[in-house]
Amino acid sequence: MHVVHSPLHARHAGGVELHRGQLVPSFESPDRIDHILRALQAANAPIGLPRDYPIESLHTVHDPAFVAFLRTAYARWQEEGRSGSMLPSGFPARSLRRDRVPEGVNGAMGYYAFDAGTPIVEGTWEAAFASARCALTAAHLVAEGERAAYALCRPPGHHAAGSVYGGYCYLNNAALAAQALRGAGFARVAVLDIDYHHGNGTQDIFYARGDVFFASLHGTPETEYPYFLGYADERGEGAGEGATLNLPLPRGTAWAAYAQALDVALRAIDRFGADALVVSLGVDTFEDDPISSFALGTAHFVEMGARIAALRRPTVLAQEGGYAVEAIGANVAGVLAAFA
């Protein structure tokens, strides 16, 4: 299985986030990728660079004005004499207007972000665009005949909606891959999100569409980030009615309950008749993850990969979360083993 990776991910580094009332170094750090790379190299996986794509390729799922904001935000920040992490200080919440994008960079940041945990630093755009190119390359490898391809994406993407960033995510890699597969001729595509946190951005992008099925297993939004999306009664709308499946699970969920929910999702994808599959591969369901609360062990990721691979669909896997850095390589390699 081909692995697509860009060293430009390391340009996104040194940011801080607001975590439970404290400014702390971002949990989403470059060393996550270093551990995954070492595990893949030990398995002799072929690792290549992403292809070049124009910025317009992002407009297949993202609003052009939003993309332009991300591309220019840090330069505008510097023009105001600022440095370090860009974090918003206000959001267009209930009772405030949402139809105007403020001209100033501080207001625009709050308009486009949905949390204060997703810093923009000097290299964020370069890394995010490279991450998106990894996902697009993996999708095109699959469209060209590969059974599976893995995009080692960093920053991750599944929290980014069409014109919103947050949750460490700026551009939605999984959604870009799914749309690329559609554009390459796959009539029905499914996205399976197995990250601990709900892929609110992916759901939002495809919520009113019937050609892309979205299934997600995640910590219940009653207690878990991102809190305001991912409930079981969200099933899609319009042409997308019934093409969204949310399986929220309580804190402490162990393998037996998780596997049962995974099988529900896989059966739904099979019934949908997906011609291709995109997996948002978060491994923050691991028992020692510092910001998540499931109880899966490293051996369970091997079984997880086997169950997903048993669908026998052309598959793109895009890296999402996983913050137990010492274990992330083994956990990712466990899922990928079934596709090797």
Side-chain angles (χ1 to χ4, degrees), residues 196 218-225 227 229-231 248-251 294:
Y196 178 80
H218 50 271
T220 174
E222 294 287 1
T223 58
E224 307 306 303
Y225 183 94
Y227 307 115
L229 216 60
Y231 291 89
L249 299 166
R251 295 170 68 90
F294 283 174

Side-chain angles (χ1 to χ4, degrees), residues 11-12 55 58 66-74 120-131 133 155 170-171:
R11 296 277 291 129
H12 177 62
I55 197 169
L58 305 176
F66 170 66
V67 173
F69 165 78
L70 290 176
R71 182 175 59 83
T72 61
Y74 202 79
I120 294 177
V121 298
E122 187 170 12
T124 296
W125 167 252
E126 190 176 9
F129 192 18
S131 185
R133 293 198 302 270
Y170 306 89
L171 298 169

Side-chain angles (χ1 to χ4, degrees), residues 90-151:
F91 305 91
R94 291 181 300 278
S95 83
L96 300 179
R97 291 186 64 171
R98 305 182 189 186
D99 62 330
R100 295 287 298 271
V101 183
E103 292 183 3
V105 67
N106 288 285
M109 185 178 12
Y111 180 86
Y112 286 118
F114 72 87
D115 68 17
T118 308
I120 294 177
V121 298
E122 187 170 12
T124 296
W125 167 252
E126 190 176 9
F129 192 18
S131 185
R133 293 198 302 270
C134 289
L136 289 167
T137 301
H140 286 125
L141 286 169
V142 167
E144 291 160 7
E146 295 289 336
R147 182 204 173 193
Y150 169 58

